[in-house]
Amino acid sequence: MSCSIFHAAHEDQRVFEMSDYQGPVARWCSGCGDHSVLAATQRLMTDEQLKPETTVFVSGIGCSSRFPHYMKTYGFHGIHGRALPIATGVKLSRPDLDVFVVMGDGDCVSIGAAHWIHSIRYNVDMVALLLDNNIYGLTKMQTSPTTPQGYKSNTQPYGSYLPALNPLEATLGVTNASFVAQTAEWVPAHLFATLQAAYRHRGFAFVRILQRCPHFTPDMYDEAVKQPDVVEILTHPEGIVVDGLDKIYKNQVRHDPANIHAARELAQEDAIRLGLFYRDETNPRYEETRSLPRRTAREKMDLLNEDFDHYAV
Amino acid sequence: MSCSIFHAAHEDQRVFEMSDYQGPVARWCSGCGDHSVLAATQRLMTDEQLKPETTVFVSGIGCSSRFPHYMKTYGFHGIHGRALPIATGVKLSRPDLDVFVVMGDGDCVSIGAAHWIHSIRYNVDMVALLLDNNIYGLTKMQTSPTTPQGYKSNTQPYGSYLPALNPLEATLGVTNASFVAQTAEWVPAHLFATLQAAYRHRGFAFVRILQRCPHFTPDMYDEAVKQPDVVEILTHPEGIVVDGLDKIYKNQVRHDPANIHAARELAQEDAIRLGLFYRDETNPRYEETRSLPRRTAREKMDLLNEDFDHYAV
Amino acid sequence: MKLPAVGATALADREPSVRSVTDLSVEIVSDSGEGAQKCGQIFGAVSAKMGNGVWTVEIIPAEVEPPPRNPAGASGIRIRLGDQEVTNWGDETNLVVAFNEQALLGRHGLNALAPDATVLVESMWATHPDPDIQKQWADAMEELSGRDYTIIEVPMEEQCLTVVDNPRKGKNMFALGMLCWIFDRDVERAKEQIAHAFRSKAAVITERNHQLLDLGYEWAEENLGFRYEIPTMEEGAPKVVMNGNEAIALGAVAAGLELAAMYPITPATSVSHMLGEVFEKYGGVVHQAEDEIAAAGVAIGSSYAGRCAFTITSGPGLALKTEFIGLAVMAEIPLVVVDVQRGGPSTGLPTKVEQSDLLAATFGQPGDAPHVVMAPATIEECFHIMTTARRVAEALRTVVVVLTDANLATGVAPFPRPELSAEWQAAPPDQRPIPGGLAPYAWDDRTGLSRRFIPGQPGGEHTLTGLAHDERSKVAYDSAINEWSSTMRSRKVAVFQHTLLPPEVNGDPDGGDLLVVGWGSTKGAIEEAVGRVRAEGLSVSSLHLTMLSPLPPGLKDIFSRFEKVMTVEINYSDKKGDPFITDENRRRGQLAWLLRASTLVDVDCWTRVLGEPLRPGRIAHAIRENMPGGAA
Amino acid sequence: MKLPAVGATALADREPSVRSVTDLSVEIVSDSGEGAQKCGQIFGAVSAKMGNGVWTVEIIPAEVEPPPRNPAGASGIRIRLGDQEVTNWGDETNLVVAFNEQALLGRHGLNALAPDATVLVESMWATHPDPDIQKQWADAMEELSGRDYTIIEVPMEEQCLTVVDNPRKGKNMFALGMLCWIFDRDVERAKEQIAHAFRSKAAVITERNHQLLDLGYEWAEENLGFRYEIPTMEEGAPKVVMNGNEAIALGAVAAGLELAAMYPITPATSVSHMLGEVFEKYGGVVHQAEDEIAAAGVAIGSSYAGRCAFTITSGPGLALKTEFIGLAVMAEIPLVVVDVQRGGPSTGLPTKVEQSDLLAATFGQPGDAPHVVMAPATIEECFHIMTTARRVAEALRTVVVVLTDANLATGVAPFPRPELSAEWQAAPPDQRPIPGGLAPYAWDDRTGLSRRFIPGQPGGEHTLTGLAHDERSKVAYDSAINEWSSTMRSRKVAVFQHTLLPPEVNGDPDGGDLLVVGWGSTKGAIEEAVGRVRAEGLSVSSLHLTMLSPLPPGLKDIFSRFEKVMTVEINYSDKKGDPFITDENRRRGQLAWLLRASTLVDVDCWTRVLGEPLRPGRIAHAIRENMPGGAA
Ligand SMILES: Cc1ncc(C[n+]2csc(CCOP(=O)(O)OP(=O)(O)O)c2C)c(N)n1
Ligand SMILES: Cc1ncc(C[n+]2csc(CCOP(=O)(O)OP(=O)(O)O)c2C)c(N)n1
Ligand code: SF4
Ligand code: SF4
Ligand SMILES: [Mg+2]
Ligand SMILES: [Mg+2]
C-alpha cells in the first residue's frame, strides 16, 4: 500500500518509535507464532513510519484475530470469517487509510472462503495476512481446511479425512490475483521482508504465514523449523530479497514472480516454499476504479433537484 | 456416478423412455439455453436408464435452478447459493442415490462460492452443473462474477467494473479437484457427451455449461455460436470424445486430462475451449471415506450401554 | 353479456354514453414482453399531469418470460384513477384491456375484475388458424360468461398491422390510444410522455408510437360506445411521481448516504438499479457484494470508517445479515438496513407483498440486541425516512432497520415535490483529534450515548470488538461490565423513545367501538376502509405506526378509549374458530404480538397472506365482521 | 485472618476440628494448563460415588493460555457437594485451593468466595526470587485481608518436587490428596478414578499421580487443623455422571440420529468432540462443514433423504442458520437445531452462560415460520430431549430448536442411569412405493399433517421447494394457495400444542403471592431459592417451562392464582426505576415478553447478564425484593 507516501504529503513532524505501535501485552500462549508476526508488523510500521491514527487492523475471530487488540492503532475485531468484507468497506470509503487484515486459517479458508475468493478478485489495496497454524486454536483444536490429512483433532480424533486445502494454489487460481506470497513466522528476516513487500504492493497482497501453535500442534512445523533443508526459498530480484538467508537455507529456487504458471506449479505442497509466488501490479485497484469526486451538500442538492425534474408531474 | 450399476443389481424389469423423465413444460424464455441442458439431461437418463425414484436433482435459486421442477424425478429446489451443501447431505446419508446439482453463475460462483470451493475438496460423488449465462437472469439482469468486464447490467449500467472470474481456473486451483469440464449448451452432441462423462465419473464432476440468455444477453455468446472457429475443442482418448464434431469445429487441441498444469493454462480465457480439462479418479469420494456399517437399533443400544458404563457413578 | 365491436360506420355520428365516476381502476394485461406496463405507466403519468389522483401497480409473473397465452403468466399493470389523491391500488378493476384471453382468464381467476367490469380483448384469437387456440378462446369465453362482464372484441393486431409489421411491439401504444379516447386524455401530453419514455431509443420509434396512439384513439372514437369522465383536482403544489424504491434511492441521496452495499434480490433490487444510474454523479457507490453477508460487512466497514452506509435487501437476505446486525449493535456502529418485504417464509412469494419480517427485524438477532425498526407508510415517506434512519443510526450509534414492502416498492403515485435541504446531508468523517483520556465508549451514565471515534482521528486509536467490552473497548473479564454495557446499549434506545410523540388517531381521538391499527404500506387502504365504514355510521378509527421498535408512547392510553383494538396486517394469523385454534395457541399478526406484549391489551388481528396488497373493500368487510358485539 | 501452615510436629498428635455441613463448595484455581480441572473432576466423581450430591462447573478463561499469574486468566473448577442431590453451582465457594495468589485474586474479584472462605494457597510465591512477584504476593494478601478469609499457605511446589521434577504437572494430584483428607474421601476409589482418567497415558503417569495423591493426603493430615464431614445419601438407583453436552451427544445416539453437521463454536463444540469419539461405531457421522450455513444445509439434505439429522451451534452460528431454518419450515423438512446459548449479542461472552436466544430462535426467521422451541432444564433432560426433538421434528415435518446453555454444557452432575429403549431409535428411510395419487403435501385439512415422501420411494417423485407451493409441491400462482399452505403449517403446531400438559407448579398449585417462572438451565437454582424463601414463610411458588413455542396450555389459569408473576432469566432487562425506563419502553426478559403477549398478564422479570449461572442466594434475595406489596 502506498498511502504512507500520500500521508507524507501533509508534513507531519512526528517520528514514531516501535513503542508507539505497541498495545497491551499479547495474551497468546507463550511460544505462539502470533507473537513474532506482531513484532514484525510493529517493526514494519516503524520502518515505514505509518501513522497510528490512519492505520486500521481488521480481523475476524480466532487467536490470531486478537491481533488488533495488541496494536496501538485503530482496530476492528470483527466476526468469524468476515474480516475481508469489513476491510473492503473501510478502504472503499476511506482510501486514505492503510488497511491490514489478519485472519486465521479457519477464519479465511473455511467460513470466510467466499469473501477470500472475491477479495482476491476485487483487488482492494490492502495487506491480507493468513496466520496458518493448520488448526482451530481459539476453539481448542478442531480440524481446519489446512490441517494435514490424517492429523488428529478434537472433531476428527481418528485423523482429518481430507487432504489439506492449499491456500496458495487456490489464491493463484482466482482471476485478478495480484500478490501472493508465503513466509514463516520462525524466519523473522523473511517474515519482515515479506510484510514489507506486501505493504508496498499496490493491490490486494495475500500472505500466507506458516504459524506455529505450540499449545495444540507443537509438532506441526517441527521438521521445517529444525531442518532448514526441507524448506525452499524462492529468489528473484523482483521477488522477496533477504540477504544472508542462504547461509541457513541452502535450497534456493529462482522464480520470476511474473510467471503465473510457474507460480502455480511451485505452490504445490511437495515442498515448503517461502517467497513471492506471484505479483502483478497492473491490475487496477477496486477502490480506485470506484473512487469518485466528492460533492458538497449543495452540489448534491442541485443534482437531486435535476433528478426530481424527471419525475415531475 | 456409478450408482446406476449398483441399482441394476436388484433386477428391475422397467425400461424407461425419455417421457418417464419429462416433467411439466419448462417455463423458461423461448430460446433459453436451459431448455437444451434439460433435454440433454433427460436423454442421458434414458441412455443410462436411471431410476426416477433414486435420482435427485438439487438446485439453488435462479432461472436455471427451476430445473428440477421440469424433471420427473425427486428434486430439491433449495435456496440461493446453497445447493451444494444440501446435495452433500443427501449423498452423505444416501450414497445409493444419484445426485445432480444445477446452479446458476450467481448461485454457484457468487453467493455459493464457499460451498463451491469446499465441495470440490470434499469430492462427493455427484454431477455439478454450472449453467453460466454470465448474468443474473431471474432477478432481471444484474452483473454476476462471470459477467465480462465492461458489460452493462442493471446494477452496473456503466459496465461491469471487474474482469470476469474464471470458474475453471478457480476450480482447478482447489486441492482434490477430480473432474473439470466445459461445454456449451448450443453444441448438443458435446453437451451430451460431457454430461455422460460427468455422470460416469466417480467423484465430484464439475461442468461449466456456457448458456445463452436470449432475454437479457442475446449478444453474449453470439460470436461463439456463429463462428465455430473461435471455439477450441479439447480432444484426447481419455477426454470427451464426440465423433464428427471436427467437421464444424476445426480447432482441435489435444490435451491429456491427467495434466493439471496444462489444464490450468488452457483454462485461461484467451479462447473458448470445450472439453475435459482435468480428471483424477484416484481421489477418494468423501461419502465413501465416511461410510460406515449400519447398526440395528438393538446393537446401538448395547453399544450405548457400554458408553454409559464409562460415566457410571 | 358479450357485444362484438360495432362496425365503424354505426357509431360515427352518434354520441357515446359518458360514465361519470370519482374512482376507477384500469388494467392492461398481456404476455410478458408486450409492453403493457409501459402503456400503463404513460397513461398513469398523463392522468396525474391532468390532475387525477393516480396509483399504478405492476402485475409481474414469477418467471422472466413465462410461456405465452398462459393464465399463470399474465403480465401487466393496474392504474387506479380518482378525483382525489389515491393512496392504494383499490379493490377490483372496472376496465380491462387484454392482449389475449388467457391473460384475462388469469386475472379473472384471481378475482381482480369487478363483477360488472368492461373488457376490451384482442379479437384475433377467436379466429386463429390454430384450432387449439380457437378452443381455448371458446372455453375462456364460456368461463367468463359466468360473470356480468361486458366483453368487447377489438381487432388490435389487424389495426396495428396497418402501421407496424410486428404488432407485438405496437399493441401497447394502440391500447394507450384507446384509453386516451375513453378517458378523454390530452393527446399532446400523451405524445410528450411517449417521447420521454423512449428518449433513449431512435426517434423513429417515437414517431411510430405516436402513429399507433392516434390509430387507437381513432379506432375507439369510431367503435366504442362509452367514455369515462373523472373530475380532476386543482393544480396544487408541484408534484413528483415515482415508486417507493425510486423514493428510497433518492432518499438515500438526500440523506447523504454515499455507499449502498447490496446483493440483488427481488423486490429490493430496483433501488440499486436506480442508484446504479444516478449515484455516481453524487460521488456515491453501489457495491454489489458476493452475498448479503458481505454486503452488510462492507456497509459496516464504511460506517465504521466514518461514512454511514446502508444495505438493502429482502427477507432471505435479511436472514443472512442477522449476525452482522448483531455485531453493529454490539460495537455501536451506525447502520441502515432497508428490507423490502416480500412473501415468506423462505423464498416464498418473491414478487409479492407481505409484512411478515417485523418480528425477525426486531428480535431476530441472538443475544439482546436493542436497535430501531421503522416502516414508511407511503411512497413519500419512503423518501424522507432515509434521512431519519441515517440520523438516528448515527445519533444512537446503532442499527436502524427500515421495513418497506413490494406494495410500496412497485406502487407508483404522485406526491408533493419535497423542498430539499442541505441539512439532511451527513457530515464528512470527523477527523479532529480526540481529547486526551476520552474513551471510545464513554457512555453517558444516564443516556447510554457516547461519541464515536473515527479512524484518522489522532488519539482515538482503539480496537472495536463484538466481544463484551468496557468503555475503553477492552475485552470484558469482569462480569459486571457486561451487565453495564448491556444497560447502556438499551438505555439509549429508551432515551430515543422519549423523543417520540404519540401517534395521531385517524377518526375519533376520543375513542369509539373499534380501533384498527396498522403499519407500513397498508395505511392508504386502511384509512380508505375506515372512511367507508365511518360513512356507514360505524364508530371506527385507525392508528398507523411508523416507529415499531421502540414503540411510540401513549398506545395503551389510546387503546383504552376503544372497546376493541384490532391490527390489520399483511402477514399470517390463525383464524378464530378454526380447528384446534384456541385463544391460547393462536398465532397472531406480528404487530398484534408486539402490542399485546407491551400494552397487555387484548389486541385482535385481521390478516391475510394472499400475495397482494389489502383491498380497502375487504378491510371494510373485515371491520364490519369484527365490530364488538358481532357483525354490524 | 491469616495463619501459616503449622509445622508437621505440632499437629501430629492432636485431633483436627471436624466441620459438619450439608452443602459446601470447593474451588481449585490455577493458571491454565496446571490440571486444576482434572483434579476437580476426579474429586467430584469420587464424591458422587461415595453418595454425595455433586455439581461441578469449570472456570474457563477467554484465551487458550493467558499470561500466567493473571487475575483475568484464572482457570479452574468449582465442585459443590451436598447431602442431597445438587442441582446447580450454588452461591459462593467455601474452600479454595489456589496454585497462585493472582488466580485467587481473580476469583475474589468476581465475588466467587464466601466472606469466611478457607483458602489453601501455594506458598512459593511469597519468597519467589523475582521481587515483582513478591510484591504482587504482598499486594494480593493486603487486598485479601480485607475479607474474613482463612488463608493457609501450602508449600505445594516444595512438596511435589520430592516426587516430580516439574510440579506444574503434579500439583493438581497433590491438591487432590489434600482434598481427599479434608473430606475423608476413599483413597482407593480416588486411585481407581485417577487410573481411569489417565488410562490413555503411560502406566508410570498413573503411578506418579498415585504417589502425589498420597503425598498431599499425608501433608494435609500432618498440617491441617480442620476437616469437613458431609452426610452421604443411600446408594439408590444406579447413576451416571456427565455434563450437558455429553448428555446431548449420547442423547443424539439414543434418538437414532446418524448425522451431526456442525461447525465449531464454543460452548457447543464439545458435543461434536464427544460424538467424534463415539459416533462412528454407531454408524454415525460428524460432518464438520465449512461454515454454519453449510452445516444446516447438509443436515437438511440428510433429513430430506430420510435420515433425520441435527446441527449444533451457539448464538452467532444460529444467526447464520436463520435462512435455512426458514427453508426447512417452508418445505416441511424435519430438522433438529441445538443451540448451546452463550453470552451475546454478537461474539459477546463466548464461554459464559446466557439465555438470550429465545426470541431469535422463535421469531428470528423472516416470513411466518411456525416451528417448535424447547429447552431442557437439567443434564438428564439434555439426554432425553434429543429423542423428543427428533420425534416431534419428524412427526410435524418441521424444525425443532433445542435451547441449552453454557451452564448445562459445562456443568457435571450425576443423574439416574437411563433405561435405554430401542423404541427411541428413528426408523430407517421408508422406501415403500407411494400409493398412486397421493400428494407430497397431502395436508389433512384439520391437522395440517401430511406424509413425507423420501427419495427412493417409487411414485413419490416431486420437487420440493422453498417457494410458496400447493399440496403437489407446485409453485403457487393462485393467491389462495399461500394462505392455505400457511394455515396448514401453522395448524400442525397448534395440534401439537393440544398434546401438551399444563406444567406443574413447584410449591402451591393453589396459588399465592408470587409465582416465579423460569426456563432452561436455571431450574435447579430457582427451585432452591424458592425452597429457601418458602422456609422463611414467604408464599412463593415456581413454574418451569420446557416447551417454549408453542407454549403449554393452562398458563393464564395458573398465573391467575398468584398475586404477582415474575420470570427469572439469564438475559437482559431494563431495571425498573432506572433513568428513562418506563413501563412502556422497558425491555423485559425474553420469556416475560412471550408470556405477556400470550397471557396478557402483567408478567414482571428479574434478569441478570453477569456471564455466570444465577446464584440461588441472589434469586432468593430478588424474590424477597419483589414480593407484591414491597420487600418482605
Ligand atoms: C459465526 C461463528 N462461528 C464459529 C465461531 C467459533 N470460532 C471462533 S474462532 C474459530 C476458529 C479459530 O481458528 P482459526 O480461524 O484458524 O484461528 P486461530 O484460533 O487458529 O488463530 C471458531 C470456529 C464464531 N466465533 N463465530
Ligand atoms: C439469499 C438470497 N439472495 C438473493 C436472492 C435473489 N436471487 C434469486 S436468483 C438470483 C441470481 C440469479 O442468477 P444466477 O444464479 O446466475 O441464475 P440464473 O437466473 O442466471 O439462471 C438472485 C440474486 C435470493 N432468492 N436469495
Ligand atoms: S492456542 Fe495456539 S494459536 Fe492460539 S494462542 Fe495458543 S499457541 Fe497461539
Ligand atoms: S431470463 Fe435468460 S436465463 Fe432466464 S429463462 Fe429467460 S433466457 Fe433463460
Ligand atoms: Mg488456525
Ligand atoms: Mg446466471
Side-chain angles (χ1 to χ4, degrees), chain D residues 280-541:
Chain D
E280 294 198 350
K281 68 170 182 265
Y282 296 93
V285 168
V286 175
H287 173 69
Q288 182 179 321
E290 56 271 27
D291 61 22
E292 285 88 348
I293 298 174
V298 168
I300 285 173
S302 172
S303 289
Y304 160 77
R307 297 193 194 280
C308 187
F310 78 111
T311 183
I312 176 151
T313 189
S314 190
L318 180 68
L320 289 168
K321 296 177 196 290
T322 306
E323 188 190 8
F324 255 130
I325 289 173
L327 173 67
V329 169
M330 181 61 137
E332 304 193 44
I333 305 165
L335 174 69
V336 175
V337 179
V338 178
D339 171 15
V340 184
Q341 299 168 98
R342 62 190 225 178
S346 196
T347 312
L349 294 164
T351 60
K352 305 292 198 296
V353 64
E354 213 167 278
Q355 296 182 302
S356 48
D357 294 353
L358 175 56
L359 294 178
T362 309
F363 297 115
Q365 312 75 31
D368 182 72
H371 60 286
V372 176
V373 179
M374 48 180 80
T378 64
I379 294 168
E380 181 177 14
E381 282 180 24
C382 285
F383 173 79
H384 293 288
I385 206 161
M386 293 304 287
T387 297
T388 312
R390 199 264 308 154
R391 284 183 167 178
V392 172
E394 292 201 309
L396 298 189
R397 292 183 69 170
T398 193
V399 175
V400 175
V401 179
V402 174
L403 294 174
T404 86
D405 62 35
N407 181 25
L408 286 172
T410 59
V412 179
F415 60 87
R417 181 169 177 148
E419 288 290 344
L420 305 180
S421 153
E423 259 81 86
W424 296 345
Q425 292 284 309
D430 180 356
Q431 294 292 277
R432 292 166 302 168
I434 298 297
L438 188 60
Y441 296 99
W443 295 297
D444 173 303
D445 292 17
R446 292 194 77 253
T447 64
L449 298 169
S450 58
R451 173 178 170 182
R452 182 163 54 113
F453 293 3
I454 293 167
Q457 292 190 279
E461 297 83 358
H462 72 285
T463 288
L464 170 152
T465 178
L467 281 160
H469 51 270
D470 63 15
E471 66 168 20
R472 308 212 69 82
S473 194
K474 299 279 177 236
V475 178
Y477 296 103
D478 168 347
S479 56
I481 290 171
N482 192 51
E483 181 79 38
W484 179 241
S485 52
S486 301
T487 304
M488 292 292 92
R489 288 189 298 270
S490 178
R491 184 76 53 80
K492 63 188 180 183
V493 176
V495 168
F496 173 63
Q497 190 266 353
H498 279 268
T499 67
L500 304 175
L501 297 173
E504 287 195 359
V505 174
N506 162 55
D508 293 328
D510 309 338
D513 294 344
L514 177 68
L515 178 71
V516 175
V517 187
W519 65 283
S521 72
T522 53
K523 186 180 187 190
I526 290 174
E527 295 189 348
E528 183 170 338
V530 167
R532 292 189 203 172
V533 295
R534 287 178 68 83
E536 297 165 11
L538 298 189
S539 163
V540 177
S541 299

Side-chain angles (χ1 to χ4, degrees), chain A residues 27-30 61 63 66 78-80 82 106 110-111 136-140 142-143 154-158 161 215-216, chain D residues 60 62-67 70 72-73 262-266 269 272-273 276-277 280 288-292 320 346-347:
Chain A
R27 297 173 66 85
W28 290 307
C29 305
S30 55
I61 298 289
C63 292
R66 287 297 186 96
I79 51 179
H80 191 42
R82 320 294 174 186
S110 194
I111 191 172
Y136 284 10
L138 189 65
T139 43
K140 305 190 170 172
Q142 296 84 23
T143 304
N154 282 325
T155 38
Q156 304 188 351
Y158 305 115
Y161 299 97
H215 192 95
F216 290 121
Chain D
I60 307 161
E63 296 85 9
V64 174
E65 194 186 294
N70 183 307
M262 48 70 66
Y263 184 76
I265 185 165
T266 308
T269 320
S272 7
H273 293 178
E277 277 294 332
E280 294 198 350
Q288 182 179 321
E290 56 271 27
D291 61 22
E292 285 88 348
L320 289 168
S346 196
T347 312

Side-chain angles (χ1 to χ4, degrees), chain A residues 201-212:
Chain A
H201 172 73
R202 303 188 58 239
F204 185 80
F206 180 80
V207 181
R208 181 193 189 196
I209 304 176
L210 306 179
Q211 176 234 324
R212 288 167 299 177

Side-chain angles (χ1 to χ4, degrees), chain B residues 104-106 131 133-137:
Chain B
D105 42 322
L131 272 56
N133 55 3
N134 301 357
I135 201 79
Y136 285 10

Side-chain angles (χ1 to χ4, degrees), chain C residues 26-41:
Chain C
V26 185
E27 277 189 18
I28 302 123
V29 295
S30 67
D31 287 342
S32 63
E34 294 186 311
Q37 279 132 5
K38 182 76 89 193
C39 166
Q41 286 154 358

Side-chain angles (χ1 to χ4, degrees), chain A residues 35 88 107 111 117 123 146 159 213 259 264 267 294 301:
Chain A
H35 290 290
T88 301
D107 204 42
I111 191 172
I117 298 303
N123 194 39
T146 60
C213 169
N259 182 340
R264 288 171 175 173
R294 298 251 166 240
M301 286 305 154

Side-chain angles (χ1 to χ4, degrees), chain A:
Chain A
M1 294 179 290
S2 62
C3 302
S4 53
I5 295 150
F6 161 88
H7 293 144
H10 25 116
E11 82 279 305
D12 183 335
Q13 303 313 329
R14 295 174 295 171
V15 176
F16 300 102
E17 309 291 323
M18 192 93 156
S19 59
D20 293 316
Y21 304 110
Q22 290 167 332
V25 180
R27 297 173 66 85
W28 290 307
C29 305
S30 55
C32 174
D34 293 348
H35 290 290
S36 25
V37 181
L38 181 66
T41 308
Q42 288 163 341
R43 193 185 136 202
L44 172 74
M45 295 194 65
T46 319
D47 272 32
E48 303 284 342
Q49 283 294 296
L50 296 190
K51 291 204 243 153
E53 72 269 23
T54 54
T55 309
V56 182
F57 282 82
V58 182
S59 66
I61 298 289
C63 292
S64 39
S65 290
R66 287 297 186 96
F67 198 101
H69 288 279
Y70 311 137
M71 295 294 302
K72 222 187 276 169
T73 64
Y74 277 89
F76 193 135
H77 182 204
I79 51 179
H80 191 42
R82 320 294 174 186
L84 288 167
I86 293 168
T88 301
V90 171
K91 190 72 179 178
L92 202 49
S93 63
R94 293 292 303 279
D96 57 306
L97 300 172
D98 281 324
V99 179
F100 293 78
V101 182
V102 182
M103 301 169 283
D105 42 321
D107 204 42
C108 174
V109 181
S110 194
I111 191 172
H115 312 309
W116 166 44
I117 298 303
H118 283 274
S119 297
I120 298 164
R121 176 170 181 251
Y122 294 134
N123 194 39
V124 169
D125 186 11
M126 59 174 76
V127 175
L129 305 178
L130 166 56
L131 271 58
D132 195 350
N133 56 2
N134 300 359
I135 201 78
Y136 284 10
L138 189 65
T139 43
K140 305 190 170 172
M141 202 176 188
Q142 296 84 23
T143 304
S144 108
T146 60
T147 302
Q149 186 159 22
Y151 196 93
K152 294 185 170 51
S153 82
N154 282 325
T155 38
Q156 304 188 351
Y158 305 115
S160 166
Y161 299 97
L162 294 165
L165 188 146
N166 180 330
L168 296 175
E169 270 185 296
T171 303
L172 289 165
V174 180
T175 312
N176 230 15
S178 80
F179 183 104
V180 184
Q182 176 160 277
T183 183
E185 136 279 314
W186 62 86
V187 192
H190 194 275
L191 171 63
F192 177 78
T194 309
L195 292 181
Q196 189 166 53
Y199 171 72
R200 293 183 174 173
H201 172 73
R202 303 188 58 239
F204 185 80
F206 180 80
V207 181
R208 181 193 189 196
I209 304 176
L210 306 179
Q211 176 234 324
R212 288 167 299 177
C213 169
H215 192 95
F216 290 121
T217 61
D219 50 340
M220 191 69 75
Y221 293 115
D222 227 28
E223 198 193 5
V225 175
K226 299 217 180 85
Q227 309 168 28
D229 299 2
V230 305
V231 176
E232 286 178 17
I233 306 291
L234 304 184
T235 61
H236 193 279
E238 289 299 302
I240 287 158
V241 185
V242 187
D243 303 336
L245 202 63
D246 49 359
K247 309 250 175 325
I248 310 121
Y249 294 91
K250 304 266 178 296
N251 300 331
Q252 307 250 333
V253 182
R254 193 178 164 82
H255 164 64
D256 177 356
N259 182 340
I260 183 82
H261 301 303
R264 288 171 175 173
E265 295 196 26
L266 287 165
Q268 289 176 309
E269 234 131 44
D270 48 351
I272 293 182
R273 301 191 176 88
L274 307 184
L276 181 57
F277 285 78
Y278 184 66
R279 172 168 50 206
D280 177 358
E281 252 183 357
T282 64
N283 302 5
R285 268 80 38 199
Y286 183 69
E287 77 279 14
E288 291 172 10
T289 312
R290 303 305 307 271
S291 87
L292 298 153
R294 298 251 166 240
R295 303 276 183 204
T296 66
R298 262 272 120 266
E299 290 172 326
K300 287 196 201 168
M301 286 305 154
D302 297 342
L303 288 163
L304 192 54
N305 260 314
E306 289 169 21
D307 274 325
F308 266 113
D309 292 341
H310 299 139
Y311 294 89
V313 174

